[in-house]
Amino acid sequence: MGFLDHLRTYGPSLGPARLARLALAKWAKSRDKARTARELAEPESEADLCQRLGLPEDPTQRAKALRDLLAPLAEASLPFEPHTGPLRRRADLVLEGEQLLFGQRLQVGWPVNWDWRWDGTDNVDRFRDDVRSTWEVQRLQGILPLARAAHAVGDQDGERYATAYLEALQSFHEAHPGPHGLAWESALEVGLRLIALAQGLPLVAHSHAFAEHHLTALRMVDRHARWLRADLSLDKAVRGNHLLGELAGLVSAGMLFPSAQPVWWKRLLPREILLTEAQTQITADGVSVEQSLTYEKFVLELLALPAALAELRHEPLGLDARLAACALHLDLATAPDGALPRIGDCDSGRGADWGDEDPHRPKNLVAYVRDRWGTPK
């Protein structure tokens, strides 16, 4: 829904002052996006990038500094499978072109076809104009099994998986550098990619491949964070889970590379806004105000990673009680077969990958949150 549609739908109930504030936010956002687009279009040297982000210019020193920075964050997205066999099999399937999308095992190719849209399936004609399938591939969640296997397996196979993961990021960056094109049309999708990058990069930081490919990964996070800062849904009459996902991505990026926070966050306070929005969208008893169990699960997926990263950086977001209550509510609402009842609006997408193959059976997500933040008092 665009700005004018929002005004027509919600304008009569907002009042003149709120409408004026929204119009001003819309104008400021348009100006910021235009300026940021011009900045991203300008080539930037490796030295200038590193100086801007407060990182060493020497490649060897920079790779070591990033490895030391990222390695302690690996536990925030560690896999739940204690045995390496299943992790290897899942990673090998990705290398054979198979990814889990919408709870289905679908062939998207290797190297990945980042513009896939139900190609080679019976749905190709039915959903020809539906961009969500392409966005699902572009969220970078489908290649996370490679990063998880790289971390868990080690040795030469682990290095092979790390290389494949980082080369996949390279191929996405070359295909969709942004900020224009389908992959960058939705600020939520940019936020979800940052969450996926924040889940994956700490898991491969130990690898030799990271030393070779870290600059591309750094540029990706930098471009995503700068564009997202300019495109946040702060100008929307109804913000919903889109703004939560965007803020979660921006906060996750800042937790990956704290020295870049002044550049990526500028005068914004994304941690504080995220806390306020989360408390608005999840009630004290853990129930989503959208009255949909699958959207409640989606929001919990979004929030778990930045909250865990912030905790590991000793900068907690203050969301512990809300996260614990939300996980408990989802646990209590889960049917005996492990599935969430289809109450309210329903979506098979994922805000982040927590190892659950079926997006309607969030066993791992709930276990992760309850293990980290306990049961609400």
Side-chain angles (χ1 to χ4, degrees):
M1 184 179 286
F3 182 65
L4 293 179
D5 294 322
H6 271 264
L7 290 184
R8 281 192 290 268
T9 304
Y10 304 106
S13 64
L14 294 178
R18 178 78 190 282
L19 286 174
R21 287 195 298 271
L22 288 175
L24 183 61
K26 186 71 174 178
W27 173 79
K29 176 176 173 177
S30 176
R31 181 195 59 191
D32 288 346
K33 287 177 68 176
R35 183 182 64 249
T36 305
R38 289 193 299 271
E39 292 172 353
L40 293 177
E42 292 293 326
E44 183 175 46
S45 69
E46 184 176 321
D48 287 343
L49 172 69
C50 294
Q51 184 177 28
R52 185 164 53 80
L53 300 184
L55 296 169
E57 292 183 22
D58 178 77
T60 302
Q61 293 179 12
R62 182 174 62 242
K64 183 182 184 306
L66 292 177
R67 181 178 290 116
D68 293 343
L69 198 62
L70 295 177
L73 303 181
E75 69 170 84
S77 63
L78 284 176
F80 296 91
E81 176 56 59
H83 306 294
T84 60
L87 290 173
R88 285 177 185 267
R89 286 194 291 275
R90 184 67 249 159
D92 288 339
L93 287 173
V94 174
L95 294 177
E96 292 170 13
E98 181 185 286
Q99 292 189 20
L100 277 168
L101 308 171
F102 306 111
Q104 303 177 50
R105 296 175 182 268
L106 295 167
Q107 182 63 225
V108 299
W110 186 266
V112 179
N113 173 13
W114 297 113
D115 296 309
W116 179 89
R117 191 171 301 183
W118 295 107
D119 299 3
T121 74
D122 295 337
N123 288 326
V124 66
D125 292 325
R126 186 184 311 170
F127 296 109
R128 186 181 303 278
D129 298 323
D130 189 344
V131 302
R132 288 175 296 180
S133 56
T134 305
W135 278 344
E136 194 77 7
V137 177
Q138 294 173 346
R139 289 178 178 181
L140 305 179
Q141 297 168 357
I143 60 173
L144 279 173
L146 295 170
R148 287 177 168 155
H151 187 275
V153 172
D155 64 41
Q156 291 184 339
D157 272 352
E159 189 65 33
R160 177 169 63 91
Y161 293 134
T163 299
Y165 173 77
L166 290 160
E167 287 180 347
L169 295 186
Q170 174 88 33
S171 74
F172 178 85
H173 179 63
E174 291 173 354
H176 297 286
H180 306 296
L182 176 63
W184 295 75
E185 278 185 9
S186 167
L188 174 61
E189 299 305 316
V190 177
L192 294 181
R193 277 200 296 278
L194 280 174
I195 293 172
L197 287 166
Q199 284 189 293
L201 289 175
L203 298 177
V204 298
H206 67 282
S207 67
H208 297 298
F210 182 77
E212 180 181 350
H213 294 281
H214 72 272
L215 187 62
T216 296
L218 185 62
R219 284 194 187 278
M220 281 186 70
V221 177
D222 175 61
R223 292 178 71 83
H224 278 71
R226 289 163 68 192
W227 182 250
L228 186 56
R229 169 63 179 85
D231 199 24
L232 287 172
S233 297
L234 296 171
D235 61 327
K236 300 293 194 298
V238 177
R239 295 170 174 180
N241 58 50
H242 277 229
L243 180 60
L244 269 185
E246 295 160 16
L247 291 167
L250 195 58
V251 170
S252 295
M255 293 301 158
L256 282 187
F257 306 116
S259 65
Q261 289 178 10
V263 174
W264 294 342
W265 295 358
K266 296 182 179 177
R267 292 172 300 281
L268 189 75
L269 300 173
R271 297 172 73 259
E272 288 78 359
I273 302 174
L274 178 62
L275 174 60
T276 300
E277 288 295 318
Q279 292 175 335
T280 300
Q281 295 191 40
I282 302 175
T283 61
D285 59 1
V287 180
S288 167
V289 297
E290 294 190 68
Q291 298 293 293
S292 163
L293 289 174
T294 53
Y295 276 138
E296 183 175 313
K297 182 263 327 179
F298 183 76
V299 166
L300 187 60
E301 286 172 335
L302 295 174
L303 294 175
L305 185 73
L309 293 175
E311 216 172 54
L312 291 170
R313 290 288 190 221
H314 306 291
E315 300 178 31
L317 298 180
L319 279 171
D320 300 18
R322 281 297 201 277
L323 295 174
C326 187
L328 176 60
H329 179 249
L330 288 175
D331 195 18
L332 294 174
T334 298
D337 67 353
L340 286 175
R342 308 297 175 90
I343 298 174
D345 202 353
C346 186
D347 195 320
S348 296
R350 295 180 298 189
D353 177 13
W354 292 106
D356 293 304
E357 294 201 4
D358 185 341
H360 302 289
R361 288 177 164 79
K363 176 183 176 182
N364 287 336
L365 168 67
V366 170
Y368 177 90
V369 174
R370 299 196 69 182
D371 180 64
R372 183 172 282 275
W373 288 289
T375 301
K377 302 295 189 290

